[in-house]
Amino acid sequence: MSSIERLEVGQRMSRIVKHNGMVFLCGQVAADANADITEQTQTMLDKVDLLLEQAGSDREYMLSATIYVRDMKDFAAMNAVWDAWVPDGHAPARACVEARMARPELLVEISVVAAEK
């Protein structure tokens, strides 16, 4: 049985869990929850980049992403940032749903599963 590696472990969650060549990231939100959807999406994806690098992966190895948007009126603006961020030919399987967030000022959150390089 392969081992499970947990990085940045807290009481409630680990920011990264690795198992059998897979990388699971906890939900990521914006650096500044008071920013608009464009900036929130960009800083959220910047966090994903850092965590994937720390885990020995990157955007080209993403397998799936689940994106939670507080209001679908922001869907197009979020997608504009997402589309520029995802490498051509490496789009993961993706779901995007409207959801109530943990804090009302948060506009977007993402959870990512990737493969290790």
Side-chain angles (χ1 to χ4, degrees), residues 5-18 24-28 47-55:
E5 181 180 1
R6 300 174 198 280
L7 304 172
E8 298 192 38
V9 179
Q11 180 179 353
R12 183 167 293 149
M13 73 184 100
S14 298
R15 292 193 66 197
I16 301 167
V17 176
K18 295 168 63 172
F24 303 86
L25 302 184
C26 70
Q28 296 301 302
K47 288 179 170 183
V48 170
D49 278 332
L50 291 172
L51 290 172
L52 287 174
E53 181 180 348
Q54 182 180 346

Side-chain angles (χ1 to χ4, degrees), residues 37 69-78 98 107:
I37 187 65
V69 179
R70 188 181 77 188
D71 190 323
M72 280 298 178
K73 73 176 177 51
D74 292 327
F75 187 68
M78 179 278 299
E98 186 175 75
L107 303 177

Side-chain angles (χ1 to χ4, degrees), residues 15 27-48 50 103 105-110:
R15 292 193 66 197
Q28 296 301 302
V29 297
D32 179 1
N34 295 308
D36 66 11
I37 187 65
T38 298
E39 186 176 336
Q40 283 200 30
T41 302
Q42 186 60 61
T43 62
M44 172 191 76
L45 295 174
D46 291 344
K47 288 179 170 183
V48 170
L50 291 172
R103 298 186 326 238
E105 61 273 12
L106 291 171
L107 303 177
V108 62
E109 181 172 350
I110 190 170

